[in-house]
Amino acid sequence: MIELYVLLVAMLAAAVVAIEIKDLLAAAVSMGMVGFSVAILFILVQAPDLAIVQIVVEILAVVFFAAVILRTTHDDSTVQLRITSRMILPAVLYGIFVLMFVAVMTSVLRELPVFGSPLMRVAGNYLAVGLNQSGAANLVTAIVLDFRAYDTIGEAVVLFTAVVGVLTIVRQIGRKADAGEEHA
Amino acid sequence: MVPFIACLLLFLLGLYAIVLKRNIIKIIIGFSLMEYAVNLLFAFIGFKQGAIAPIITRLGMTQDFVDPLPQALVLTSIVIGLATTALMLAFAMRIYEKYHTFDITEIRRLRG
Amino acid sequence: MSRGMTVIVQSVTRLVAGMLFLFGCYIVLHGHLTPGGGFAGGVLIAAAFILVSLAFGSVENVEQHRYTFSSVFESLGGLGFLAIGLAGYLAGHQFLSNLWPKVGEPLTLFSAGTIPLANIAIAMKVGAGLFAIFLALGASRFVMKD
């Protein structure tokens, strides 16, 4: 499993670069590297469904980021090395949160099953009766569209809301600003 | 244990970007990183050593399968994450057209 | 060279876009047998359309047509999924329960009851929705600015 640890390190390094780099386009590309690392990690933990979705979604996410950045600016003018006074309060709050998070997570990590041996209390039943009751050989699809189809309805509603929100926010200014009517 | 800790570190990195960065695009990248961390943690929890992906390729298979339930939950979450990221990017673009900056402190000063 | 990308990109796009669309359809239709399903296939189909409109650029009124069609297809996908759920309810089971799961031989294309139909509905919804988001963000007109 050495490749898993190599990919985890690459993922964390790319995340640091994506947060700290000055050029926003480079930040978006670094975020894409994090996403592709996640996709390969999905393959390593035997989740090919997730890997396919993650790869294609990551391509589209980088395209969306590039569209917005090329339309506006790709220079992050807020990157600065010296510490100003208005950064102190968020930094202190973040430090307090990190301390609490680590304190909670040390106990949670003790409770979690060891990596490589899940509990499978619910999924054992799905694995036993999945092919007979739903007829689908891909058990992930059987769960998504048969056993837990309400989740999928909720997903469809959220997706519809997001699409309507994007169209409402962007469409009218995209057209009117070209004609020079609003916010010239 | 080490993969779980890496997921938590990625989560904290994303939260750092959200709390301490002043550029809106960086904040959206932070949201994406947190989402990846949670998805990856789910997939890691379902992993079983020496098992194969939960797809039946012939009748009467006897191999072990990994846990399919976290995979089914994450499958919807990934697509929702892309849609919400696009929504946040649309907001960012609208803010830039009004204020000509991505700096959130400048935006606060220009309000009203 | 008025709009769109260079001739190299356009030639490669002519070769690849059809295959990408076909591969998306394959992933959707075999979602109950192989890895994939409505989500992955829908995003792949959206990626095929996005590739074409990035490579060849677009005119304003053509984009208006594309926007209308993607809205219609997204609504059709959502309605189709709800109709499949209602069909399970009207047949006397719970909402969204699978009709005829035993029909057809397992591990073949025509099996698993309504799951392939639900996959197609989800794929239409996801693909059309993401393509509408792409058109709204206006990438096809701004990528080749300089």
Side-chain angles (χ1 to χ4, degrees), chain A residues 21-42:
Chain A
I21 204 166
K22 190 168 162 52
D23 192 318
L24 289 179
L25 208 51
V29 172
S30 300
M31 196 204 74
M33 186 180 161
V34 178
F36 286 125
S37 307
V38 170
I40 301 172
L41 284 168
F42 281 153

Side-chain angles (χ1 to χ4, degrees), chain A residues 118-130 139 143 147-148, chain B residues 46 48 54 65-72:
Chain A
L119 290 177
M120 300 179 74
R121 211 174 285 151
V122 183
N125 185 30
Y126 289 155
L127 289 177
V129 301
L139 291 165
I143 291 174
F147 294 115
R148 299 184 67 92
Chain B
K48 191 173 187 180
F65 292 124
V66 299
D67 194 345
L69 188 58
Q71 299 190 15

